[in-house]
């Protein structure tokens, strides 16, 4: 077993690699070869990446694909998607192309409010705390003037600070529940800085508040942090067309297709086991664009799944209806995104991806990403209710299997040709490849 190591972060990159391969890798030389083969040959670029995090020793590549033909509010976009799952970009492209001829996607931002909280313990009279809060509210705002100045110039800032009594949930627990507008920034640093200032003002003002008893003056700040639950930072994307135009399948009629889509969404609304997978498919599209545009996909995931449970039961993020022979399919979800700050201006590829999307504002990016989620869900559910997903999925996976088996380019061509008319399974691909190798 390797020994614990002190001062690891101080080692050079080479020393770190030596330590990794000698302690954990069975064939150290091969390990080093793999690690260094992922280094960027442009040393400046590699250095930039090295400095994004601590203890960087190499890079892990994720393919960056592009899904063209997205008509969004009458503008045509090609959407960059960073994802390793083989069928996702193909599915998005297919859905984009389908809706291109049917009016495209319509989107709307329903809200842009961000949230942060100061969590604190107050042992005393709630009425007195309320009076104290009303008295110090202007000071809470004033004390953040230097922090909010540049955000205010961009039209953002602190919208509201509320005192919330949470003592029914936890003894003596209160919070400052604060809302913010952060314009094109995701706003995490801005919000957290404001919250820490609120906490400090709250604490110091309490110490001097004459109506408090000695015990009441001792407010205990537990923590100050933004919330990734942003139910009022909401975006909607929608597609619709006459039912008769839903001619996706040769096996079922457009009417049957519409009915099955609606039924599939109803199931995802009432059955959490299905809803989780249904929403996972949506996140295939969302995360891929979030990642490609340098945004924080963990924050998005956390917020979206909490939103999916907002009515007390985990449910579908998409909705479907047929009314007056018109099929409608839409999504509503919270997306707190930034197109300035963070990696967005630092990472050359992220910058290029944003340029590819016409340098969107945060609100515009919310709409593009909601569309990517809706398109993904439309593609997945329409396959599920018709052919099943394995056909398309295995077609995309075929190349992975061939690469795993070390197939040559000419073997790949022959095997791909064979499976144009045959069912792909892992076994059948290996059998065909083995047969081919025996022949030659
Ligand atoms: C696979 O990554 C995503 C799907 O399972 C989504 C769904 O079932 O709706 C195909």
């Amino acid at each position: 077993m390797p020994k614990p190591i002190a001062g690891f972060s101080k080692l050079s990159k080479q020393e770190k690699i030596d330590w990794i391969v000698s302690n954990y890798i069975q064939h150290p030389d091969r390990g080093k070869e793999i690690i260094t083969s992922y280094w960027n040959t442009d040393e400046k670029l590699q250095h930039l990446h090295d400095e994004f995090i601590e203890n960087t020793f190499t890079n892990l590549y994720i393919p960056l694909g592009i899904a063209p033909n997205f008509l969004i509010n009458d503008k045509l976009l090609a959407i960059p998607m960073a994802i390793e799952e083989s069928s996702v970009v193909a599915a998005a492209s297919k859905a984009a192309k389908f809706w291109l001829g049917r009016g495209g996607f319509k989107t709307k931002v329903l809200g842009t409010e961000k949230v942060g909280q100061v969590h604190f313990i107050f042992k005393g009279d709630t009425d007195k705390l309320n009076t104290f809060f009303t008295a110090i509210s202007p000071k809470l705002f004033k004390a953040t003037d230097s922090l909010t100045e540049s955000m205010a110039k961009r039209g953002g800032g602190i919208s509201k600070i509320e005192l919330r009594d949470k003592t029914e949930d936890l003894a003596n627990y209160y919070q400052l529940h604060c809302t913010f507008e952060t314009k094109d920034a995701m706003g995490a640093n801005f919000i957290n800085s404001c919250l820490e200032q609120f906490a400090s003002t709250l604490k110091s003002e309490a110490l001097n508040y004459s109506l408090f008893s000695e015990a009441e003056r001792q407010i205990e700040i537990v923590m100050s942090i933004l919330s990734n639950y942003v139910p009022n930072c909401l975006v909607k994307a929608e597609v619709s067309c006459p039912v008769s135009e839903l001619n996706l399948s040769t096996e079922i009629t457009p009417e049957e297709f519409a009915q099955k889509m609606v039924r599939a969404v109803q199931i995802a609304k009432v059955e959490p086991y299905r809803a989780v997978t249904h929403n996972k498919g949506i996140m295939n599209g969302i995360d891929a664009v979030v990642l490609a545009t340098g945004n924080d996909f963990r924050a998005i995931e956390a917020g979206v799944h909490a939103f999916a449970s907002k009515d007390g039961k985990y449910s579908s993020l998409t909705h479907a209806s047929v009314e007056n022979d018109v099929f409608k399919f839409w999504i509503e979800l919270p997306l707190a995104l930034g197109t300035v700050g963070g990696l967005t201006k630092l990472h050359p590829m992220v910058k290029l991806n944003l340029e590819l999307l016409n340098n969107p504002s945060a609100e515009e990016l919310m709409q593009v990403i909601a569309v990517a989620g809706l398109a993904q869900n439309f593609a997945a559910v329409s396959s599920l209710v018709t052919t099943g997903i394995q056909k398309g999925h295995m077609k995309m996976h075929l190349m992975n299997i061939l690469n795993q088996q070390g197939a040559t380019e000419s073997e790949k061509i022959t095997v791909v040709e064979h499976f144009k008319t045959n069912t792909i399974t892992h076994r059948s691909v290996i059998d065909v490849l083995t047969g081919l190798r025996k022949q030659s």
Side-chain angles (χ1 to χ4, degrees), residues 85 87-88 274 277-282 284 377 380-381 384 389 393:
E85 190 173 326
S87 53
V88 170
R274 172 57 201 149
T277 316
H278 181 93
N279 290 347
K280 187 274 180 187
I282 293 170
N284 279 343
N377 187 234
V381 179
L384 285 169
I389 58 155
H393 186 81

Side-chain angles (χ1 to χ4, degrees), residues 421-439:
T421 48
N422 290 283
T423 307
I424 304 166
T425 64
H426 195 265
R427 184 73 262 157
S428 65
V429 175
I430 290 174
D431 286 348
V432 171
L433 194 61
T434 313
L436 203 64
R437 283 174 177 170
K438 272 190 193 144
Q439 271 174 33

Side-chain angles (χ1 to χ4, degrees), residues 270-295:
V270 299
E271 167 53 58
Y273 277 94
R274 172 57 201 149
V276 170
T277 316
H278 181 93
N279 290 347
K280 187 274 180 187
I282 293 170
M283 298 316 285
N284 279 343
I286 305 261
D287 282 341
V289 193
V290 169
L291 206 52
T293 54
N295 276 280

Side-chain angles (χ1 to χ4, degrees), residues 371-413:
V371 164
L374 184 67
Q376 208 63 44
N377 187 234
F378 180 79
V381 179
S382 54
S383 291
L384 285 169
V385 300
T386 54
T387 53
I389 58 155
Q390 278 315 87
K391 197 169 159 208
H393 186 81
M394 290 309 287
K395 200 168 124 200
M396 296 306 301
H397 191 51
L398 175 60
M399 211 39 79
N400 286 350
I401 305 174
L402 289 171
N403 284 331
Q404 271 163 18
Q405 301 304 316
T408 63
E409 287 311 307
S410 87
E411 284 172 341
K412 283 180 190 172
I413 292 168

